Amino acid sequence: MTNARAFPEAGDLVVGTITSVESYGLYVSLDEYGGLHGFVPVKEIPSTMTRNLVSFFKPKQKLVLKVLYSNPSKLQVDLSLRRVTEDERRKKMASYKQEVGAARALEVAKAKAGIKDDRQLREALIAAFGSLRESLRKLAEDRAKVLQVVMEAAKGMDAKAVERYLDVAAQLASERLKPKKAVVSAEVKAYSPAPDGINVIKEALSKAIASAESTGAKVYVTYAGSPRYLVRVEADNYKAAEAALDRFSRSAEESLKGRGHFELLRGK
């Protein structure tokens, strides 16, 4: 899988596959740049992992890394692991997996359309839309635009085969490239000593669900044995899911103030 740019730039996040583990650092091949090699010096690895690198890192292991320095003329890429945040790692790996999925979808489309070599089509898609995964998303939104881009690059190729290629790619994209929801789960304690305590709790939790779902998240609450409940929050990303859970918790706590008790036991 290749990137729209031939060489990474300082500040880029890249996916690298470890090729060698040495006492002074890690050698990696950059998956998105045609196997271009880079190096992670030991000072750019978290200190908790540096005493015995071979216990944390193995050949063929994939890492999300940040480019510190690149020199195309020398084919030099210096990388850092310690400067990548967990959120950056998660997002980059998710987009990388989607790009791999898009590439596999096009492999299937190529075979079903009877096209022997689709390199010029892929290059045109990447040039126009930035990546294969974005090309397939665009295909679902504006087929005419993608068809125009592909047809301009498909000189000498059978037009019907190219249309078949796009049809299959669009179908596979709808099946394989659906964004996965981030899920956060928590256990909570909610009770009320009031005579109508059950209704008080139901009202408080209903308001809390409505408050959390106003952020765009989806919230599910199930009874786990008095006074415990399980809360499951689904959102587009973990930050949004955590924010919705926090909103749920604050709303429930406010609703039960003076009438009962609410406590978030897990998920803090």
Side-chain angles (χ1 to χ4, degrees):
M1 185 177 66
T2 58
N3 195 285
R5 287 186 280 105
F7 212 84
E9 298 176 356
D12 284 351
L13 292 175
V14 297
V15 175
T17 300
I18 296 175
T19 57
S20 178
V21 180
E22 307 295 341
S23 60
Y24 49 86
L26 308 171
Y27 288 97
V28 300
S29 63
L30 303 185
D31 295 24
E32 301 154 290
Y33 293 87
L36 176 70
H37 284 77
F39 179 65
V40 187
V42 70
K43 68 179 182 179
E44 291 300 331
I45 297 172
S47 58
T48 54
M49 301 178 176
T50 56
R51 287 190 176 182
N52 188 7
L53 292 181
V54 295
S55 65
F56 289 97
F57 305 103
K58 306 293 181 185
K60 298 185 180 180
Q61 180 179 343
K62 291 190 183 297
L63 303 171
V64 174
L65 304 160
K66 182 165 289 187
V67 178
L68 298 180
Y69 171 81
S70 68
N71 187 326
S73 64
K74 295 183 178 180
L75 296 180
Q76 180 180 351
V77 184
D78 294 337
L79 304 157
S80 174
L81 177 62
R82 70 179 181 84
R83 304 191 196 205
V84 179
T85 67
E86 178 59 25
D87 188 54
E88 287 175 328
R89 186 202 65 76
R90 185 168 53 238
K91 289 178 179 178
K92 176 61 182 179
M93 190 56 72
S95 68
Y96 169 78
K97 288 179 179 178
Q98 287 185 334
E99 188 72 0
V100 171
R104 288 173 179 168
L106 291 182
E107 281 295 319
V108 175
K110 180 178 72 171
K112 291 193 174 182
I115 296 175
K116 291 184 178 180
D117 189 347
D118 68 342
R119 279 178 296 178
Q120 64 196 60
L121 304 182
R122 294 186 187 217
E123 289 171 1
L125 290 172
I126 292 174
F129 305 111
S131 67
L132 295 179
R133 68 181 182 280
E134 289 303 323
S135 299
L136 294 191
R137 287 198 182 99
K138 191 68 176 179
L139 182 59
E141 300 171 1
D142 189 351
R143 188 179 187 280
K145 173 65 176 176
V146 179
L147 181 61
Q148 179 184 358
V149 169
V150 170
M151 284 303 185
E152 289 176 358
K155 295 177 181 179
M157 298 176 68
D158 182 83
K160 289 186 177 180
V162 174
E163 290 206 29
R164 171 66 172 157
Y165 177 83
L166 288 182
D167 287 342
V168 175
Q171 179 182 348
L172 292 174
S174 66
E175 297 171 357
R176 300 184 182 184
L177 298 183
K178 292 179 181 178
K180 294 182 179 179
K181 293 289 186 181
V183 177
V184 173
S185 297
E187 184 177 352
V188 303
K189 181 189 292 185
Y191 61 85
S192 172
D196 59 342
I198 293 178
N199 291 330
V200 171
I201 296 301
K202 285 183 178 179
E203 179 186 349
L205 294 182
S206 294
K207 286 182 179 180
I209 290 171
S211 178
E213 290 190 338
S214 69
T215 66
K218 194 68 180 175
V219 181
Y220 305 90
V221 177
T222 56
Y223 182 65
S226 183
R228 296 171 186 263
Y229 297 82
L230 299 179
V231 182
R232 176 185 171 91
V233 180
E234 294 181 1
D236 291 335
N237 55 68
Y238 283 96
K239 185 176 180 179
E242 291 287 355
L245 178 60
D246 180 64
R247 196 180 184 104
F248 174 92
S249 180
R250 286 188 285 110
S251 175
E253 188 173 3
E254 181 64 27
S255 294
L256 288 173
K257 187 177 293 184
R259 299 193 298 167
H261 175 78
F262 177 87
E263 182 181 356
L264 185 66
L265 301 177
R266 292 204 307 254
K268 292 183 180 180

